[in-house]
Amino acid sequence: MTGAIASDPALAALVPADVKDRGTLVVGSPATFPALNFYAADGTTLVGHDWDLAVAVAKRLGLRPEHADIDYAALIPGLKSGRIDTLNAGMSDTAKRQQEIDFVDYRMDGVVFLVPEGNPDKVSKPDSLCGLSTAAVTGTITVDRARKWSDNCVAAGKEPIGLTETEDTSQMQSQLRSGRINFLPGDLATLSYIASTVNDGNAFDLIDDEIIDMKPTGFGFSKERKELTTAVQRSLQSLIDDGTYSKIMKAWNLQDLEVKSSVINGGK
C-alpha cells in the first residue's frame, strides 16, 4: 500500500556509499509474523505493516527494498556479519539489546495473551498462568518473560509454566487450537491480527484488558553502521511528517501504536 513514494535527494545523500552503490536496502525478518511480515495467499508476496514501512523508508532514500527471510534468533548475528543492512521484525528496543545493536524506533507495542475461544483456562494476568503451558519464538523477549513468570509461580509455591521454544508461529497457533498449549503471549500488533482473522475471528480470544510492558520496537542496525542508522531515522521522520507513516499504521489497524517521532535507541 506504499504506492508512489518519491525519493528525497537530501536524505539519499546520507546513505553510505556501499549501500548507495548497491542500490538496495537489505531488510531481514522472518516472514512468519502476521500483520508485521508474512506471505500473502500466493506464498511468495511479502506483506505486512513492518514490510510496508521498510519499503517506504527505502524508497524515500532512493533505494530498492530487498527482503532476507531469516529466523528471529539469527537476525542480530546477520547484522553483525553484514548479511543484512537492517532488521525489522517487531523487535523490542531494550537497554540490553542496545548493548549489541542500535534501533530506530517505529512503533510502540506490548504483551497481550491469545487463548482458545471462550478462554477456558481463565487467563488474565501473569499470576493466572501458573501450571499452564505456552510456546514462544526462540530469541524473542517473550521467552524471557515466560521464564520470569514461571519463576514467580514457583516462588509463590505454585506449578511452573511449561514453555516450548520454536521458530514456527503457525505451529504455535495449531498447538493452541488443539489444546497442546493453553495460551500464547505476544505483541499486540501480531496477536490482535491473528485473533481477528483466523477462522473469521472465531478461533481465538484476545486478552488485552491490561497491556504488559509497553516498549518501542524498531529497525535494528549494527553499531558499525551509524551513517545508515541516521539515514533511516531521517527517512522515517520524513514519512511521519508527511503523513505516510500514519497511513501505513491505519492500513493495518495499528494507529493506536504510533510513535510521535523517529528516535534512535528510545527503549529503556
Side-chain angles (χ1 to χ4, degrees):
M1 60 81 52
T2 50
I5 294 176
S7 64
D8 183 319
L11 295 175
L14 300 174
V15 176
D18 63 318
V19 178
K20 187 180 298 184
D21 291 345
R22 190 201 318 140
T24 59
L25 183 71
V26 183
V27 182
S29 70
T32 55
F33 287 89
L36 306 185
N37 298 287
F38 64 109
Y39 289 118
D42 62 11
T44 58
T45 302
L46 191 67
V47 296
H49 162 268
D50 284 14
W51 179 241
D52 280 351
L53 195 58
V55 170
V57 164
K59 287 183 175 180
R60 184 56 51 90
L61 294 174
L63 300 171
R64 299 186 307 278
E66 177 182 318
H67 180 246
D69 195 344
I70 301 177
D71 287 343
Y72 197 94
L75 287 170
I76 291 178
L79 283 179
K80 292 181 175 180
S81 70
R83 179 183 177 187
I84 57 177
D85 297 316
T86 184
L87 63 82
N88 81 323
M91 183 175 285
S92 298
D93 173 1
T94 67
K96 181 179 179 180
R97 283 180 173 148
Q98 288 170 19
Q99 295 175 17
E100 289 194 272
I101 64 174
D102 290 324
F103 288 90
V104 172
D105 298 334
Y106 58 77
R107 186 182 65 246
M108 299 300 296
D109 218 333
V111 177
V112 294
F113 300 113
L114 193 70
V115 299
E117 190 175 37
N119 193 13
D121 296 298
K122 309 303 179 188
V123 168
S124 56
K125 297 180 180 181
D127 60 6
S128 73
L129 308 175
C130 303
L132 303 181
S133 296
T134 190
V137 174
T138 300
T140 63
I141 199 170
T142 304
V143 172
D144 296 333
R145 290 188 180 109
R147 288 173 176 162
K148 179 181 178 181
W149 296 334
S150 185
D151 289 345
N152 291 342
C153 289
V154 173
K158 300 178 181 180
E159 291 295 314
I161 298 169
L163 172 64
T164 300
E165 293 187 45
T166 181
E167 294 294 346
D168 190 340
T169 57
S170 61
Q171 184 183 76
M172 293 193 302
Q173 293 178 46
S174 298
Q175 290 174 338
L176 187 60
R177 293 187 75 174
S178 68
R180 289 184 61 189
I181 59 175
N182 306 101
F183 71 97
L184 282 176
D187 291 340
L188 175 60
T190 296
L191 296 190
S192 61
Y193 182 86
I194 293 172
S196 64
T197 57
V198 174
N199 196 28
D200 295 326
N202 297 311
F204 304 116
D205 285 344
L206 187 71
I207 309 302
D208 61 349
D209 296 334
E210 178 182 341
I211 301 175
I212 302 167
D213 200 17
M214 205 65 157
K215 293 182 183 298
T217 63
F219 291 97
F221 299 88
S222 164
K223 287 190 172 292
E224 304 300 316
R225 302 308 304 258
K226 299 294 187 184
E227 288 180 310
L228 184 60
T229 305
T230 298
V232 168
Q233 182 266 327
R234 300 279 183 85
S235 176
L236 177 58
Q237 186 61 54
S238 77
L239 296 169
I240 293 172
D241 293 342
D242 72 9
T244 301
Y245 168 80
S246 285
K247 289 179 181 177
I248 293 172
M249 293 292 285
K250 289 175 182 176
W252 292 98
N253 198 31
L254 298 177
Q255 59 270 21
D256 292 340
L257 301 177
E258 290 187 15
V259 295
K260 302 299 184 184
S261 61
S262 174
V263 176
I264 295 175
N265 292 337
K268 305 296 184 184

